[in-house]
Amino acid sequence: LYAQVKVNVNGFNYNVYVKNIENRKSNAPVLIFENGWGMDLKTWNTVINALEKVAPVVCYDRAGVGASDDDHKMPTLKNVAA
């Protein structure tokens, strides 16, 4: 199962998609992918399709990339973590 949603964080909408989360067991890991180099989360499709068989996967577009809103902040470690 694949779900693509917009998640609002501090007033900005982020493009997120999730695969296989409905089968996650309590305390089991979740693989999280973040795009980079100005490419949207679709660049992870091949990897996600293989890894979703091992663990649930969550992917999102960084601010200002792909279908996510631009927060007009420099993507420093502090800003990305916030």
Side-chain angles (χ1 to χ4, degrees), residues 15 35 38-41 61-62 64-68:
N15 185 41
N35 67 325
M39 300 163 87
D40 66 18
L41 55 79
D61 284 329
R62 287 182 178 193
V65 179
S68 291

Side-chain angles (χ1 to χ4, degrees), residues 50-76:
L51 291 177
E52 72 170 313
K53 295 169 182 74
V54 177
V57 177
V58 175
C59 302
Y60 70 96
D61 284 329
R62 287 182 178 193
V65 179
S68 291
D69 292 348
D70 193 345
D71 64 5
H72 304 287
K73 294 180 184 176
M74 188 68 126
T76 63

Side-chain angles (χ1 to χ4, degrees), residues 7 12 29 32:
V7 176
F12 298 98
I32 300 173

